[in-house]
């Protein structure tokens, strides 16, 4: 006979059990509840400890609830529905506005937000939640597969057959500094570059070929960057505040120059490499009208 563990019960676990049985999957439950899969795993562990029962058994296409889990579900479902009904009294006004989860680097986040606000998709049809800007290729694939993000935007990665990719645009690097820089005009020689204080934006998303070429340039210098970060906005603000130079993707220059005193520094030693920016979507969302509308807008030149 199953024995319950005594102690305080976390009533938040109710919604987890209900979602898992409703969807027959822990992964799908995480998507429905808008939480990370690890949160579902934690909830199941706590439920198993409380009821001293496995509750769910892995199956070919998800999980199968035990007899005890089904018994609990019948009672929990009523409670969960009543809670949701009570919450919907307040939330009905916002019911038509979705929250879209996107993974992109910080430059691309600003570019995406600007485009979607200008066309009215944000905030009329959805609001945006940017997540995991710095992530490895494997992490990016996993988060699309698990439903933690709806869209992934960045350089191409080797995914799986369930992840579909669409090219948005290509970009190359350019050198920028403050408009009224004390010593730099409209152009810069390799000799001057080699002695000019600089700051660096480094990211895993640029690709090994481009990084190799940039490293060849930086090796002509006797000085290292005074700071480097995966946060490009912080590095740009620092460059403008302290008369430093920095490489940035050209695509985002037009957006930045509208709000910042920034200028391009022409130089003939930057390697000309066109880097494709790609938008990735899981095939289960391929018929999602709103996501497809967002992709169409972002593809428009």
């Amino acid at each position: 006979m199953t024995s319950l563990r005594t102690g305080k019960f976390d009533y938040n676990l109710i919604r987890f059990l209900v979602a898992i049985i409703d969807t027959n999957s822990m992964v799908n439950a995480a998507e429905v509840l808008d939480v990370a899969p690890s949160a579902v795993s934690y909830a199941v562990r706590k439920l198993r400890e409380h009821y001293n029962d496995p509750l769910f058994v892995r199956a070919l296409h998800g999980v199968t609830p035990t007899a005890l889990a089904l018994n609990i579900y019948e009672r929990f479902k009523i409670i969960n529905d009543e809670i949701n009904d009570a919450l919907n009294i307040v939330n009905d006004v916002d019911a038509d506005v979705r929250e879209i989860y996107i993974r992109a680097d910080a430059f691309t986040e600003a570019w995406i937000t600007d485009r979607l606000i200008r066309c009215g998709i944000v905030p009329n049809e959805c609001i945006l939640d940017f997540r995991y800007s710095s992530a490895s290729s494997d992490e990016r694939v996993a988060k699309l597969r698990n439903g933690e993000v709806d869209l992934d935007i960045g350089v191409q990665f080797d995914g799986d057959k369930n992840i579909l990719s669409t090219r948005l645009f290509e970009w190359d690097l350019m050198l920028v500094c403050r408009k009224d820089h004390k010593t730099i005009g409209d152009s810069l020689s390799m000799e001057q570059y080699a002695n000019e204080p600089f700051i660096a934006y480094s990211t895993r998303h640029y690709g090994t070929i481009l990084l190799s070429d940039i490293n060849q340039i930086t090796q002509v210098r006797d000085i290292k960057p005074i700071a480097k970060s995966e946060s490009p906005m912080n590095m740009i603000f620092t460059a403008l505040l302290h008369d430093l130079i920095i490489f940035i993707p050209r695509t985002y220059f037009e957006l930045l120059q509208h709000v910042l005193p920034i200028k391009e520094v022409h130089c003939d030693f930057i390697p000309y490499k066109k880097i494709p920016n790609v938008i990735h979507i899981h095939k289960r969302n391929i018929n999602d009208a709103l996501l497809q509308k967002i992709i169409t807008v972002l593809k428009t030149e």
Side-chain angles (χ1 to χ4, degrees), residues 104-115:
D105 66 68
F107 272 131
T108 309
E109 289 177 2
W111 179 82
I112 293 169
T113 306
D114 177 68
R115 285 216 160 195

Side-chain angles (χ1 to χ4, degrees), residues 175 187-194 213-214 216-218 220-221 245 247 265-272:
L175 194 64
S187 61
L188 192 70
S189 67
M190 175 66 88
E191 181 180 4
Q192 186 179 4
Y193 165 79
D213 291 336
I214 291 298
Q216 291 178 18
I217 294 177
T218 57
V220 307
R221 309 170 59 91
I245 56 177
F247 288 105
V265 180
H266 299 280
C267 43
D268 58 9
F269 53 82
I270 299 179
Y272 185 73

Side-chain angles (χ1 to χ4, degrees), residues 17-30:
L17 185 139
V18 171
I20 293 169
I21 294 181
D22 281 345
T23 63
N24 295 311
S25 165
M26 292 187 185
V27 172
N28 292 340

